[in-house]
């Protein structure tokens, strides 16, 4: 087992370099398929987004296999390998598939590295806007290699809140979100991981989602936390590979507490 | 009155040049305010999006006043002048305000010129992606000066459909959209005018909205029609300054007919 972190918990720089390389390769592939003409009578598996998803994930997996052959991989498209390894890469080649299909430049590639089920590295990469957020446990997050931080918003009354889609909520969850929305300064629908990236850069203050999968949320944790934000499940518990997919992120600890109480 | 169209209905090229210049000026202003840091305790009227909205509209109005001082203007922010003129400019400096606030690069500036209440020129401009769609009655639409056209999608079953937000629907309208969504190949929420731009470039096949204002939909008509699409109100009537704000656009005439029958 080649260790990715040392005894002090510091991430090996070669791991970060590999993650950047993976994001670059995925971006090259996604740009080829984004806004590609679609023949309407094609079957779904041959659609540009499906091909983009699979090829980008395969390219990222090949880089992991070549560099850290004993690390585990959890991928949205191509399944899991070496699930008992202490290191797990969790990959979502195209987060925000619908937006990708419609030609919107908001989809992202998500790359996370977990150690003992805790995300220690996260990348959110938007290939069209060429924006990349990087979070590493214990150090400040960056957007395109400059420090990126949340806004100092303390109250839901002042907050810009967002959710990917109210469709993913149960009716009880939808009621809680609706109450929060009524109180908030502004609410944005849509965005998937891009909303968490915007939170990490200080434009959105709270993001609430339900029904997320580990490949949807693992990469978000190091980015949001390294930007000064707080991200947990709706019960306030830290996100791990086995979290239930109900996620709430906030710009500050006070705002996160208020959001948690509204979602209780 | 300086005529903007000749006896054959052909638009004076100086009008198109002016509209491009207006879009350029608005874009310069919006780029200054997009993702500007926001002090949370600021009053709403001083928010970046409000200032961007007002300044961009003022700049566009000044260009109209300097070049066509007897044309009317309908603006989202700064009111209407010379409403009895046969020529009316209809302006929305920031369509998609919420996305602008959240830092999403999907908001657009909408510029329309109407003759006798019918839109004859439309521009949809996205300043961050630097994408500009131009529609002129009777000639093909363009995206960044290249021809732009809808996809040859004939059936809702095959269609990618979109709406800005289901929040703007009455419950009866929401039921009709939900039925269409169930039948469609894919559905995208969000996008405002950007969804119509994507329809005009062949990535989305049907867009359905309700509750739009004239400055939200006038610019869309020449762009969608010049791209080969069909855009009307939900009753199938042509869009004019006095339409009711229920809008349906489709990539082809057959698809539009099917959408109309589902919305009836």
């Amino acid at each position: 087992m080649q260790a990715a972190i040392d005894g002090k918990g510091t991430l090996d720089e070669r791991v970060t370099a590999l993650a950047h390389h993976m994001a670059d390769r995925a971006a090259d592939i996604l740009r080829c398929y984004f806004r590609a003409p679609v023949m309407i009578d094609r079957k779904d598996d041959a659609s540009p987004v499906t091909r983009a998803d699979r090829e980008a994930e395969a390219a990222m997996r090949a880089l992991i296999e070549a560099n850290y052959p004993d690390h585990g991989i959890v991928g949205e498209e191509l399944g899991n390998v070496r699930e008992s390894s202490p290191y797990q890469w969790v990959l979502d080649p195209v987060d925000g598939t619908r937006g990708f299909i419609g030609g919107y430049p908001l989809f992202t590639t998500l790359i996370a590295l977990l150690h003992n089920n805790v995300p220690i590295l996260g990348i959110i990469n938007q290939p069209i806007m060429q924006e990349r957020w990087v979070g590493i446990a214990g150090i400040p997050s960056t957007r395109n290699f400059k420090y990126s931080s949340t806004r100092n918003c303390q109250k839901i009354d002042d907050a810009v809140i967002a959710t990917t889609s109210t469709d993913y909520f149960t009716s009880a969850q939808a009621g809680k979100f609706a109450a929060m929305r009524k109180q908030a300064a502004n609410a944005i629908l849509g965005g998937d991981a891009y909303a968490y990236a915007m939170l990490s850069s200080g434009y959105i203050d709270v993001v609430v989602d339900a029904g997320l999968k580990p490949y949807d949320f693992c990469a978000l944790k190091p980015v949001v936390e390294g930007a000064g934000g707080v991200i947990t499940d709706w019960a306030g518990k830290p996100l791990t590979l086995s979290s239930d997919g109900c996620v709430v992120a906030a710009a500050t600890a006070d705002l996160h507490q208020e959001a948690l109480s509204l979602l209780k």
Side-chain angles (χ1 to χ4, degrees), chain A:
Chain A
M1 171 67 54
Q2 190 174 350
I5 54 173
D6 65 21
K8 294 177 189 158
T10 305
L11 193 68
D12 190 316
E13 281 175 18
R14 287 169 295 183
V15 174
T16 317
L18 173 66
H20 275 289
H21 190 36
M22 288 162 63
D24 289 340
R25 280 294 294 128
D28 287 343
I29 292 166
L30 299 189
R31 277 191 292 264
C32 290
Y33 287 108
F34 183 63
R35 295 189 181 173
V38 178
M39 299 298 293
I40 296 288
D41 55 0
R42 257 194 200 162
K43 291 208 181 117
D44 269 353
D45 355 349
S47 76
V49 69
T50 305
R51 296 179 62 184
D53 237 335
R54 290 187 188 156
E55 290 182 27
E57 184 170 324
M60 291 192 289
R61 294 173 84 110
L63 285 167
I64 296 167
E65 296 288 353
N67 289 277
Y68 295 96
D70 44 13
H71 285 192
I73 304 174
V74 175
E76 194 203 350
E77 292 294 318
L78 306 172
N80 304 350
V81 292
R82 297 181 292 275
E83 295 181 67
S84 59
S85 167
Y87 292 107
Q88 296 289 330
W89 292 86
V90 182
L91 309 175
D92 191 357
V94 183
D95 178 80
T97 309
R98 289 175 180 194
F100 185 102
I101 290 170
Y104 293 13
L106 297 184
F107 66 91
T108 55
T109 297
L110 301 178
I111 299 168
L113 175 62
L114 280 68
H115 183 230
N116 296 336
N117 288 326
V118 176
I120 54 171
L121 165 74
I123 286 186
I124 305 173
N125 193 59
Q126 210 307 311
I128 309 305
M129 290 285 289
Q130 309 222 21
E131 295 182 282
R132 181 174 301 174
W133 287 264
V134 180
I136 296 169
I139 66 172
S141 292
T142 56
R143 173 187 168 277
N144 291 359
F145 303 99
K146 291 183 179 162
Y147 289 135
S148 180
S149 64
T150 62
R151 183 158 51 188
N152 185 26
C153 177
Q154 308 279 346
K155 293 182 307 196
I156 295 287
D157 289 26
D158 297 328
V160 176
I161 72 167
T163 188
T164 294
S165 169
T166 54
D167 295 344
Y168 300 120
F169 292 139
T170 63
S171 64
Q173 290 170 336
K176 289 170 188 172
F177 183 78
M180 186 188 292
R181 190 174 174 178
K182 217 166 176 177
Q183 201 179 322
N186 230 309
I188 298 167
L189 297 181
D192 301 278
Y194 202 74
Y196 296 84
M198 288 294 112
L199 181 140
S200 303
S201 284
Y203 307 113
I204 292 176
D205 305 300
V206 176
V207 190
V208 178
D209 277 311
L212 301 187
K213 304 289 181 197
Y215 46 77
D216 294 321
F217 63 73
C218 283
L220 308 177
K221 180 179 154 76
V223 174
V224 168
E225 291 180 346
V230 180
I231 183 168
T232 64
D233 69 13
W234 289 23
K237 282 183 291 189
L239 297 179
T240 69
L241 199 53
S242 49
S243 291
D244 67 358
C246 291
V247 172
V248 52
T252 61
D254 285 351
L255 190 60
H256 185 257
Q257 276 304 321
E258 190 181 354
L260 280 182
S261 69
L262 289 167
L263 296 171
K264 199 173 282 171

